[in-house]
Coordinates of all heavy atoms in Angstrom, one line a residue:
M280 N -0.3 12.1 -8.8 CA 0.2 10.7 -8.7 C 1.3 10.5 -9.7 O 1.1 10.2 -10.9 CB -1.0 9.8 -9.0 CG -0.7 8.3 -8.8 SD -2.1 7.3 -8.8 CE -2.3 7.1 -10.6
G281 N 2.5 10.7 -9.2 CA 3.6 10.5 -10.1 C 4.3 9.2 -9.9 O 4.4 8.7 -8.9
D282 N 4.8 8.7 -11.0 CA 5.5 7.4 -11.0 C 6.9 7.6 -11.4 O 7.2 7.6 -12.6 CB 4.8 6.3 -11.8 CG 5.4 4.9 -11.6 OD1 6.2 4.8 -10.7 OD2 5.0 4.1 -12.3
R283 N 7.8 7.7 -10.4 CA 9.2 7.8 -10.7 C 9.9 6.5 -10.5 O 11.1 6.5 -10.6 CB 9.8 8.9 -9.8 CG 9.2 10.3 -10.0 CD 9.8 11.3 -9.0 NE 8.9 12.4 -8.9 CZ 8.1 12.6 -7.9 NH1 8.0 11.8 -6.9 NH2 7.3 13.7 -7.9
C284 N 9.2 5.5 -10.2 CA 9.8 4.2 -9.9 C 10.1 3.4 -11.2 O 9.3 3.5 -12.2 CB 8.9 3.3 -9.0 SG 8.6 4.2 -7.5
A285 N 11.1 2.6 -11.2 CA 11.3 1.7 -12.4 C 10.2 0.7 -12.4 O 9.6 0.3 -11.4 CB 12.7 1.0 -12.2
Q286 N 10.0 0.1 -13.6 CA 8.9 -0.8 -13.8 C 9.2 -2.2 -13.1 O 8.3 -2.9 -12.8 CB 8.7 -1.1 -15.3 CG 8.0 0.1 -16.0 CD 6.6 0.3 -15.4 OE1 5.8 -0.6 -15.1 NE2 6.3 1.6 -15.2
N287 N 10.4 -2.5 -12.8 CA 10.7 -3.8 -12.2 C 11.4 -3.6 -10.8 O 12.5 -4.1 -10.6 CB 11.6 -4.6 -13.1 CG 10.8 -5.1 -14.3 OD1 9.7 -5.6 -14.2 ND2 11.4 -4.9 -15.5
T288 N 10.8 -2.9 -9.9 CA 11.3 -2.8 -8.6 C 11.0 -4.1 -7.8 O 10.1 -4.9 -8.2 CB 10.7 -1.6 -7.8 OG1 9.3 -1.9 -7.7 CG2 10.9 -0.3 -8.6
P289 N 11.7 -4.4 -6.7 CA 11.5 -5.6 -5.9 C 10.0 -5.6 -5.5 O 9.4 -6.7 -5.5 CB 12.4 -5.5 -4.8 CG 13.6 -4.7 -5.3 CD 12.9 -3.7 -6.2
A290 N 9.4 -4.5 -5.1 CA 8.0 -4.5 -4.6 C 7.1 -4.9 -5.7 O 6.1 -5.7 -5.6 CB 7.7 -3.1 -4.0
R291 N 7.3 -4.3 -6.9 CA 6.4 -4.6 -8.0 C 6.6 -6.1 -8.5 O 5.6 -6.8 -8.8 CB 6.7 -3.7 -9.2 CG 6.2 -2.3 -9.0 CD 6.6 -1.4 -10.2 NE 6.2 -0.1 -9.9 CZ 5.7 0.8 -10.7 NH1 5.7 0.4 -12.0 NH2 5.4 2.0 -10.4
N292 N 7.8 -6.6 -8.5 CA 8.0 -8.0 -8.8 C 7.3 -8.9 -7.8 O 6.8 -9.9 -8.2 CB 9.5 -8.3 -8.9 CG 10.1 -7.6 -10.1 OD1 9.5 -7.3 -11.1 ND2 11.4 -7.4 -10.0
E293 N 7.4 -8.6 -6.5 CA 6.7 -9.4 -5.5 C 5.2 -9.3 -5.7 O 4.5 -10.4 -5.6 CB 7.1 -8.8 -4.1 CG 6.4 -9.5 -2.9 CD 7.2 -10.8 -2.6 OE1 8.2 -11.1 -3.2 OE2 6.6 -11.6 -1.8
L294 N 4.7 -8.2 -6.0 CA 3.2 -8.1 -6.3 C 2.8 -8.9 -7.4 O 1.8 -9.6 -7.4 CB 2.9 -6.6 -6.5 CG 1.4 -6.3 -6.9 CD1 0.5 -6.7 -5.7 CD2 1.3 -4.9 -7.2
K295 N 3.6 -8.9 -8.5 CA 3.3 -9.7 -9.7 C 3.3 -11.2 -9.3 O 2.5 -12.0 -9.8 CB 4.2 -9.4 -10.8 CG 4.0 -8.0 -11.4 CD 5.1 -7.6 -12.3 CE 4.9 -6.1 -12.8 NZ 6.0 -5.7 -13.7
T296 N 4.2 -11.6 -8.4 CA 4.3 -13.0 -8.0 C 3.0 -13.3 -7.2 O 2.5 -14.4 -7.4 CB 5.5 -13.2 -7.1 OG1 6.7 -12.9 -7.8 CG2 5.6 -14.6 -6.6
W297 N 2.6 -12.5 -6.3 CA 1.3 -12.7 -5.6 C 0.2 -12.9 -6.5 O -0.7 -13.7 -6.3 CB 1.0 -11.6 -4.6 CG 2.0 -11.4 -3.5 CD1 3.0 -12.2 -3.1 CD2 2.0 -10.3 -2.6 NE1 3.6 -11.6 -2.0 CE2 3.0 -10.5 -1.7 CE3 1.2 -9.1 -2.4 CZ2 3.3 -9.6 -0.6 CZ3 1.4 -8.3 -1.4 CH2 2.5 -8.5 -0.5
L298 N 0.1 -12.0 -7.5 CA -1.1 -12.1 -8.4 C -1.0 -13.2 -9.5 O -1.9 -13.4 -10.2 CB -1.2 -10.7 -9.1 CG -1.5 -9.5 -8.2 CD1 -1.5 -8.2 -9.0 CD2 -2.8 -9.7 -7.4
K299 N 0.2 -13.8 -9.5 CA 0.5 -14.9 -10.5 C 0.2 -14.4 -11.9 O -0.5 -15.0 -12.7 CB -0.4 -16.1 -10.2 CG 0.0 -16.8 -8.8 CD -0.9 -18.0 -8.5 CE -0.4 -18.7 -7.3 NZ -0.6 -18.1 -6.1
V300 N 0.8 -13.3 -12.3 CA 0.7 -12.8 -13.6 C 2.1 -12.6 -14.2 O 3.1 -12.5 -13.5 CB 0.0 -11.4 -13.6 CG1 -1.4 -11.5 -13.2 CG2 0.7 -10.4 -12.8
L301 N 2.1 -12.6 -15.5 CA 3.3 -12.3 -16.2 C 3.7 -10.9 -16.1 O 2.8 -10.0 -16.1 CB 3.2 -12.7 -17.7 CG 2.9 -14.2 -18.0 CD1 2.6 -14.4 -19.5 CD2 4.1 -15.0 -17.6
P302 N 5.0 -10.6 -16.0 CA 5.4 -9.2 -15.8 C 4.9 -8.3 -17.0 O 4.6 -7.1 -16.7 CB 6.9 -9.3 -15.9 CG 7.3 -10.6 -15.4 CD 6.1 -11.5 -15.9
T303 N 4.7 -8.8 -18.2 CA 4.3 -8.0 -19.3 C 2.8 -7.8 -19.3 O 2.3 -7.0 -20.1 CB 4.7 -8.6 -20.6 OG1 4.2 -9.9 -20.7 CG2 6.2 -8.6 -20.7
S304 N 2.0 -8.6 -18.5 CA 0.6 -8.5 -18.5 C 0.0 -7.5 -17.5 O -1.2 -7.3 -17.4 CB -0.1 -9.8 -18.3 OG 0.2 -10.3 -17.0
T305 N 0.8 -6.9 -16.7 CA 0.4 -5.9 -15.8 C 0.6 -4.5 -16.3 O 1.5 -4.2 -17.1 CB 1.1 -6.0 -14.4 OG1 2.5 -5.8 -14.6 CG2 0.8 -7.3 -13.7
N306 N -0.3 -3.6 -15.9 CA -0.2 -2.2 -16.3 C -0.2 -1.3 -15.1 O -1.3 -0.8 -14.7 CB -1.3 -1.9 -17.3 CG -1.1 -0.5 -17.9 OD1 -0.1 0.1 -17.8 ND2 -2.2 0.0 -18.5
I307 N 0.9 -1.2 -14.4 CA 0.9 -0.4 -13.2 C 1.1 1.1 -13.6 O 2.2 1.4 -14.2 CB 2.0 -0.8 -12.2 CG1 1.8 -2.3 -11.8 CG2 2.2 0.1 -11.0 CD1 2.9 -2.9 -11.0
L308 N 0.1 1.9 -13.4 CA 0.2 3.3 -13.9 C 0.9 4.2 -13.0 O 1.3 5.3 -13.5 CB -1.3 3.7 -14.2 CG -2.0 3.0 -15.3 CD1 -3.4 3.5 -15.4 CD2 -1.3 3.1 -16.6
G309 N 0.9 3.9 -11.8 CA 1.6 4.8 -10.9 C 1.6 4.4 -9.4 O 1.0 3.3 -9.1
T310 N 2.3 5.1 -8.6 CA 2.3 4.8 -7.2 C 2.0 6.1 -6.4 O 2.2 7.2 -7.0 CB 3.7 4.3 -6.7 OG1 4.7 5.3 -7.0 CG2 4.1 3.0 -7.5
S311 N 1.5 5.9 -5.2 CA 1.2 7.1 -4.4 C 1.2 6.7 -3.0 O 1.0 5.6 -2.6 CB -0.3 7.6 -4.8 OG -0.6 8.6 -3.9
N312 N 1.6 7.7 -2.2 CA 1.6 7.5 -0.7 C 0.5 8.3 -0.1 O 0.4 8.5 1.1 CB 3.0 7.8 -0.1 CG 3.4 9.2 -0.3 OD1 2.7 10.0 -1.0 ND2 4.5 9.6 0.3
L313 N -0.4 8.9 -0.9 CA -1.5 9.7 -0.5 C -2.8 8.9 -0.8 O -3.5 9.2 -1.8 CB -1.5 11.1 -1.1 CG -0.3 11.9 -0.8 CD1 -0.2 13.2 -1.6 CD2 -0.2 12.2 0.7
L314 N -3.2 8.0 0.0 CA -4.3 7.1 -0.3 C -5.6 7.9 -0.4 O -6.5 7.6 -1.3 CB -4.5 6.0 0.8 CG -5.5 4.9 0.5 CD1 -5.1 4.2 -0.8 CD2 -5.6 4.0 1.6
G315 N -5.8 9.0 0.3 CA -7.0 9.8 0.2 C -7.2 10.3 -1.2 O -8.3 10.4 -1.7
N316 N -6.1 10.7 -1.8 CA -6.2 11.2 -3.2 C -6.6 10.1 -4.2 O -7.4 10.4 -5.1 CB -4.9 11.9 -3.6 CG -4.6 13.1 -2.8 OD1 -5.5 13.7 -2.1 ND2 -3.4 13.6 -2.9
V317 N -6.0 9.0 -4.1 CA -6.2 7.9 -5.1 C -7.5 7.2 -4.9 O -8.0 6.6 -5.8 CB -5.0 7.0 -5.2 CG1 -3.8 7.7 -5.8 CG2 -4.7 6.3 -3.9
T318 N -8.1 7.3 -3.7 CA -9.4 6.7 -3.5 C -10.5 7.4 -4.3 O -11.4 6.8 -4.9 CB -9.9 6.6 -2.0 OG1 -9.8 7.9 -1.5 CG2 -9.1 5.6 -1.2
T319 N -10.3 8.7 -4.4 CA -11.2 9.5 -5.3 C -11.0 9.1 -6.8 O -12.0 8.9 -7.5 CB -10.8 11.0 -5.2 OG1 -11.0 11.4 -3.8 CG2 -11.7 11.9 -6.1
L320 N -9.8 8.9 -7.2 CA -9.5 8.4 -8.5 C -10.2 7.0 -8.8 O -10.8 6.8 -9.8 CB -8.0 8.3 -8.8 CG -7.5 7.8 -10.1 CD1 -8.0 8.8 -11.2 CD2 -6.0 7.6 -10.1
A321 N -10.1 6.1 -7.8 CA -10.7 4.8 -7.9 C -12.2 4.9 -8.0 O -12.8 4.1 -8.8 CB -10.3 3.9 -6.7
R322 N -12.8 5.8 -7.3 CA -14.3 5.9 -7.3 C -14.7 6.4 -8.7 O -15.8 6.1 -9.2 CB -14.7 6.9 -6.3 CG -15.0 6.4 -5.0 CD -15.7 7.4 -4.1 NE -15.2 7.2 -2.7 CZ -14.2 8.0 -2.2 NH1 -13.7 9.0 -2.9 NH2 -13.8 7.8 -1.0
Q323 N -13.9 7.2 -9.3 CA -14.4 7.9 -10.6 C -13.8 7.2 -11.8 O -13.9 7.8 -12.9 CB -13.9 9.4 -10.6 CG -14.6 10.1 -9.4 CD -14.1 11.5 -9.3 OE1 -13.1 12.0 -10.0 NE2 -14.6 12.3 -8.4
S324 N -13.2 6.1 -11.7 CA -12.6 5.4 -12.9 C -12.6 3.9 -12.7 O -13.2 3.4 -11.8 CB -11.1 5.9 -13.0 OG -10.4 5.4 -11.9
D325 N -11.9 3.2 -13.6 CA -11.8 1.8 -13.5 C -10.5 1.3 -12.9 O -10.1 0.2 -13.1 CB -11.9 1.2 -14.9 CG -13.3 1.4 -15.5 OD1 -14.2 1.4 -14.7 OD2 -13.4 1.4 -16.7
F326 N -9.8 2.2 -12.1 CA -8.5 1.8 -11.5 C -8.7 1.0 -10.3 O -9.7 1.1 -9.6 CB -7.8 3.1 -11.1 CG -7.2 3.9 -12.2 CD1 -7.8 5.1 -12.6 CD2 -6.1 3.4 -12.9 CE1 -7.3 5.8 -13.7 CE2 -5.6 4.2 -14.0 CZ -6.2 5.4 -14.4
C327 N -7.8 0.1 -10.0 CA -7.8 -0.7 -8.8 C -6.6 -0.2 -7.9 O -5.6 0.2 -8.4 CB -7.5 -2.2 -9.1 SG -8.8 -2.9 -10.1
L328 N -6.8 -0.2 -6.6 CA -5.8 0.2 -5.7 C -5.3 -1.0 -4.9 O -6.1 -1.9 -4.6 CB -6.4 1.2 -4.7 CG -7.1 2.5 -5.2 CD1 -7.7 3.3 -4.1 CD2 -6.0 3.3 -6.0
I329 N -4.1 -0.9 -4.5 CA -3.5 -1.9 -3.6 C -3.0 -1.2 -2.4 O -2.2 -0.3 -2.6 CB -2.4 -2.8 -4.3 CG1 -3.1 -3.5 -5.5 CG2 -1.8 -3.7 -3.3 CD1 -2.1 -4.3 -6.3
C330 N -3.5 -1.5 -1.2 CA -3.1 -0.9 0.0 C -3.2 -1.8 1.2 O -3.8 -2.9 1.0 CB -3.9 0.4 0.2 SG -5.6 0.1 0.5
V331 N -2.8 -1.4 2.3 CA -3.0 -2.1 3.5 C -4.4 -1.8 4.1 O -4.9 -0.7 3.9 CB -1.9 -1.9 4.6 CG1 -0.5 -2.3 4.1 CG2 -1.8 -0.4 5.0
K332 N -4.9 -2.8 4.8 CA -6.3 -2.6 5.3 C -6.5 -1.5 6.2 O -7.5 -0.7 6.1 CB -6.8 -3.9 5.9 CG -8.2 -3.9 6.3 CD -8.7 -5.2 6.9 CE -10.1 -5.2 7.2 NZ -10.6 -6.5 7.8
G333 N -5.5 -1.3 7.1 CA -5.6 -0.2 8.1 C -5.7 1.2 7.4 O -6.5 2.1 7.8
A334 N -5.0 1.4 6.3 CA -5.0 2.7 5.6 C -6.3 2.8 4.9 O -6.9 3.9 4.8 CB -3.9 2.7 4.6
F335 N -6.9 1.7 4.4 CA -8.1 1.7 3.6 C -9.3 2.2 4.5 O -10.2 2.9 4.1 CB -8.4 0.3 3.1 CG -9.6 0.2 2.2 CD1 -9.7 0.6 0.9 CD2 -10.8 -0.3 2.8 CE1 -10.8 0.5 0.2 CE2 -11.9 -0.5 2.0 CZ -11.9 0.0 0.7
E336 N -9.2 1.7 5.8 CA -10.3 2.0 6.7 C -10.4 3.4 7.2 O -11.4 3.9 7.8 CB -10.3 1.0 7.9 CG -10.5 -0.4 7.5 CD -10.2 -1.4 8.6 OE1 -9.5 -1.1 9.5 OE2 -10.7 -2.6 8.4
I337 N -9.3 4.2 7.0 CA -9.3 5.6 7.5 C -10.2 6.5 6.7 O -10.7 7.4 7.2 CB -7.8 6.1 7.5 CG1 -7.0 5.3 8.5 CG2 -7.7 7.6 7.7 CD1 -5.5 5.6 8.4
F338 N -10.3 6.2 5.4 CA -11.0 7.1 4.5 C -12.4 6.7 4.2 O -12.8 5.5 4.5 CB -10.2 7.2 3.2 CG -8.8 7.7 3.4 CD1 -7.8 6.9 3.5 CD2 -8.6 9.1 3.5 CE1 -6.5 7.4 3.6 CE2 -7.3 9.6 3.7 CZ -6.3 8.7 3.8
D339 N -13.2 7.6 3.7 CA -14.6 7.2 3.3 C -14.5 6.3 2.0 O -14.2 6.7 1.0 CB -15.4 8.4 2.9 CG -16.8 8.1 2.3 OD1 -17.2 6.9 2.6 OD2 -17.3 8.9 1.6
T340 N -14.7 5.0 2.3 CA -14.6 4.0 1.2 C -15.9 3.3 1.0 O -16.0 2.2 0.6 CB -13.5 3.0 1.5 OG1 -13.8 2.4 2.8 CG2 -12.1 3.6 1.5
S341 N -17.0 4.0 1.2 CA -18.3 3.4 1.1 C -18.6 2.9 -0.3 O -19.4 2.0 -0.5 CB -19.4 4.4 1.6 OG -19.3 5.6 0.9
E342 N -18.0 3.5 -1.3 CA -18.2 3.1 -2.7 C -17.2 2.1 -3.2 O -17.2 1.7 -4.3 CB -18.2 4.3 -3.6 CG -19.3 5.3 -3.2 CD -19.2 6.6 -4.1 OE1 -18.9 6.5 -5.2 OE2 -19.4 7.7 -3.5
L343 N -16.2 1.7 -2.3 CA -15.2 0.8 -2.7 C -15.3 -0.5 -1.9 O -15.9 -0.5 -0.8 CB -13.8 1.5 -2.4 CG -13.6 2.8 -3.2 CD1 -12.3 3.4 -2.7 CD2 -13.6 2.6 -4.7
V344 N -14.6 -1.5 -2.3 CA -14.6 -2.8 -1.6 C -13.1 -3.2 -1.4 O -12.3 -3.1 -2.3 CB -15.3 -3.9 -2.5 CG1 -15.2 -5.2 -1.8 CG2 -16.7 -3.5 -2.7
F345 N -12.8 -3.6 -0.1 CA -11.5 -4.1 0.2 C -11.5 -5.6 0.0 O -12.3 -6.3 0.6 CB -11.1 -3.8 1.6 CG -9.7 -4.2 2.0 CD1 -8.7 -3.4 1.6 CD2 -9.5 -5.4 2.6 CE1 -7.4 -3.8 1.9 CE2 -8.2 -5.8 2.9 CZ -7.1 -5.0 2.6
I346 N -10.6 -6.2 -0.8 CA -10.5 -7.6 -1.0 C -9.1 -8.0 -0.5 O -8.1 -7.6 -1.0 CB -10.7 -8.0 -2.5 CG1 -12.1 -7.5 -3.0 CG2 -10.5 -9.5 -2.7 CD1 -12.3 -7.7 -4.5
L347 N -9.1 -8.9 0.5 CA -7.9 -9.3 1.1 C -7.2 -10.3 0.2 O -7.8 -11.2 -0.3 CB -8.2 -9.9 2.5 CG -7.0 -10.4 3.3 CD1 -6.2 -9.1 3.7 CD2 -7.5 -11.1 4.6
F348 N -5.9 -10.1 0.0 CA -5.1 -11.1 -0.7 C -5.1 -12.4 0.2 O -5.0 -12.3 1.4 CB -3.6 -10.7 -0.9 CG -3.4 -9.7 -2.0 CD1 -2.8 -8.5 -1.7 CD2 -3.9 -10.0 -3.3 CE1 -2.6 -7.6 -2.8 CE2 -3.7 -9.0 -4.3 CZ -3.0 -7.8 -4.0
A349 N -5.1 -13.5 -0.5 CA -5.0 -14.8 0.2 C -3.7 -15.0 0.9 O -3.6 -15.6 2.0 CB -5.3 -16.0 -0.7
L350 N -2.6 -14.5 0.3 CA -1.3 -14.6 0.9 C -1.1 -13.5 1.9 O -1.1 -12.3 1.6 CB -0.3 -14.4 -0.2 CG 1.2 -14.5 0.2 CD1 1.5 -15.8 0.8 CD2 2.1 -14.3 -1.0
L351 N -1.0 -13.8 3.2 CA -0.8 -12.8 4.2 C 0.7 -12.6 4.4 O 1.5 -13.5 4.5 CB -1.4 -13.3 5.5 CG -3.0 -13.4 5.5 CD1 -3.4 -14.0 6.8 CD2 -3.6 -12.1 5.2
R352 N 1.0 -11.3 4.6 CA 2.4 -10.9 4.9 C 2.4 -10.2 6.2 O 1.5 -9.4 6.4 CB 3.0 -10.0 3.8 CG 3.1 -10.6 2.5 CD 4.3 -11.6 2.5 NE 4.5 -12.1 1.1 CZ 5.5 -12.9 0.8 NH1 6.4 -13.2 1.7 NH2 5.6 -13.3 -0.4
H353 N 3.3 -10.5 7.1 CA 3.4 -9.9 8.3 C 4.8 -9.2 8.4 O 5.8 -9.7 8.0 CB 3.3 -10.9 9.5 CG 1.9 -11.5 9.5 ND1 0.8 -10.9 10.1 CD2 1.5 -12.7 9.1 CE1 -0.2 -11.7 10.0 NE2 0.2 -12.8 9.4
S354 N 4.8 -8.0 9.1 CA 6.0 -7.4 9.3 C 6.1 -7.1 10.8 O 5.1 -7.0 11.5 CB 6.2 -6.1 8.5 OG 5.2 -5.2 8.9
K355 N 7.3 -7.0 11.3 CA 7.5 -6.7 12.7 C 8.2 -5.3 12.8 O 9.0 -4.9 12.0 CB 8.4 -7.8 13.3 CG 7.8 -9.1 13.3 CD 8.7 -10.2 13.8 CE 8.1 -11.5 13.7 NZ 8.9 -12.6 14.1
H356 N 7.8 -4.6 13.8 CA 8.3 -3.3 14.1 C 8.9 -3.2 15.5 O 8.4 -3.9 16.4 CB 7.2 -2.2 13.9 CG 6.6 -2.2 12.6 ND1 7.1 -1.6 11.5 CD2 5.4 -2.8 12.2 CE1 6.3 -1.8 10.5 NE2 5.3 -2.5 10.9
I357 N 10.0 -2.5 15.6 CA 10.6 -2.3 16.9 C 10.7 -0.8 17.2 O 11.2 0.0 16.3 CB 12.0 -2.9 16.9 CG1 11.9 -4.5 16.7 CG2 12.7 -2.6 18.2 CD1 13.2 -5.1 16.5
L358 N 10.3 -0.4 18.4 CA 10.5 1.0 18.8 C 11.6 1.0 19.8 O 11.6 0.3 20.8 CB 9.2 1.5 19.4 CG 9.3 2.9 20.0 CD1 9.5 3.9 18.9 CD2 8.0 3.2 20.8
A359 N 12.7 1.8 19.5 CA 13.8 1.9 20.3 C 14.2 3.3 20.6 O 14.0 4.2 19.7 CB 15.0 1.2 19.7
W360 N 14.7 3.6 21.8 CA 15.1 4.9 22.1 C 16.2 4.8 23.2 O 16.3 3.8 23.8 CB 13.9 5.8 22.6 CG 13.2 5.3 23.9 CD1 13.5 5.7 25.1 CD2 12.2 4.4 24.0 NE1 12.7 5.0 26.0 CE2 11.9 4.2 25.3 CE3 11.5 3.6 23.0 CZ2 10.9 3.3 25.8 CZ3 10.5 2.7 23.5 CH2 10.2 2.6 24.8
R361 N 16.9 5.9 23.4 CA 17.9 6.0 24.4 C 17.4 5.9 25.8 O 16.3 6.5 26.1 CB 18.8 7.2 24.2 CG 19.6 7.2 22.9 CD 20.5 8.3 22.9 NE 20.1 9.6 23.5 CZ 20.4 10.8 23.2 NH1 21.2 11.0 22.1 NH2 20.0 11.8 23.8
K362 N 18.1 5.3 26.7 CA 17.7 5.3 28.1 C 17.6 6.7 28.7 O 18.4 7.6 28.3 CB 18.6 4.5 29.0 CG 18.5 3.0 28.7 CD 19.5 2.3 29.7 CE 19.4 0.8 29.5 NZ 20.3 0.1 30.5
N363 N 16.7 6.9 29.6 CA 16.6 8.1 30.4 C 16.3 9.4 29.5 O 16.7 10.4 29.9 CB 17.8 8.3 31.3 CG 18.0 7.1 32.2 OD1 17.1 6.6 32.8 ND2 19.3 6.7 32.4
V364 N 15.7 9.2 28.4 CA 15.4 10.3 27.5 C 13.9 10.3 27.4 O 13.2 9.3 27.0 CB 16.0 10.2 26.1 CG1 15.6 11.3 25.2 CG2 17.6 10.2 26.3
E365 N 13.3 11.5 27.7 CA 11.8 11.6 27.6 C 11.4 11.6 26.1 O 12.0 12.4 25.3 CB 11.4 12.9 28.3 CG 9.9 13.0 28.4 CD 9.5 14.2 29.2 OE1 10.2 14.6 30.1 OE2 8.5 14.8 28.8
L366 N 10.4 10.9 25.8 CA 9.9 10.8 24.4 C 9.1 12.0 24.1 O 8.4 12.5 24.9 CB 9.1 9.5 24.1 CG 9.9 8.2 24.3 CD1 9.0 7.0 24.1 CD2 11.0 8.2 23.3
S367 N 9.1 12.4 22.8 CA 8.3 13.6 22.4 C 6.8 13.1 22.3 O 6.5 11.9 22.3 CB 8.7 14.1 21.1 OG 8.5 13.1 20.1
L368 N 5.9 14.0 22.1 CA 4.5 13.6 22.0 C 4.2 12.8 20.7 O 3.4 11.9 20.7 CB 3.6 14.8 22.0 CG 3.5 15.6 23.3 CD1 2.7 16.9 23.1 CD2 2.9 14.8 24.4
A369 N 5.0 13.1 19.7 CA 4.9 12.3 18.4 C 5.3 10.9 18.6 O 4.7 10.0 17.9 CB 5.7 13.0 17.3
A370 N 6.2 10.6 19.5 CA 6.6 9.2 19.7 C 5.6 8.4 20.4 O 5.4 7.3 20.3 CB 7.9 9.1 20.5

């Protein structure tokens, strides 16, 4: 779990706004895009994870609890491709 991000990225500032905390009162130790690895860390320590619900439900989280933020954020996705082109299986 490496943290190469600056302490005041737009995402971190947004998160601090959601949590209504002062920027100096948070202790963000790292970021990860491998939720399976950090769920093990959360089970064995006092760390808290922040993730989307769909990602949380993929792993064995029987020892963890998902708490939904009161502030809901929605994003929209668009799938676009060229006409008359067969999509791959991954698409």
Side-chain angles (χ1 to χ4, degrees):
M280 186 170 80
D282 188 8
R283 296 181 201 98
C284 303
Q286 288 297 318
N287 289 315
T288 63
R291 287 179 185 213
N292 290 336
E293 181 78 9
L294 178 62
K295 292 171 186 178
T296 301
W297 292 353
L298 298 174
K299 296 180 173 66
V300 295
L301 296 173
T303 56
S304 67
T305 58
N306 188 12
I307 299 174
L308 298 177
T310 60
S311 176
N312 62 354
L313 300 172
L314 190 60
N316 293 348
V317 292
T318 53
T319 301
L320 179 65
R322 273 190 219 98
Q323 298 174 355
S324 66
D325 292 332
F326 289 106
C327 296
L328 304 175
I329 296 176
C330 66
V331 296
K332 186 176 183 181
F335 182 79
E336 293 171 342
I337 293 173
F338 300 98
D339 174 22
T340 54
S341 56
E342 299 173 39
L343 302 174
V344 176
F345 183 84
I346 300 172
L347 185 65
F348 283 126
L350 178 62
L351 295 176
R352 295 284 185 178
H353 296 278
S354 63
K355 296 178 183 177
H356 302 279
I357 298 172
L358 175 63
W360 63 92
R361 294 189 326 212
K362 286 184 178 181
N363 303 320
V364 175
E365 187 174 326
L366 297 177
S367 68
L368 293 175

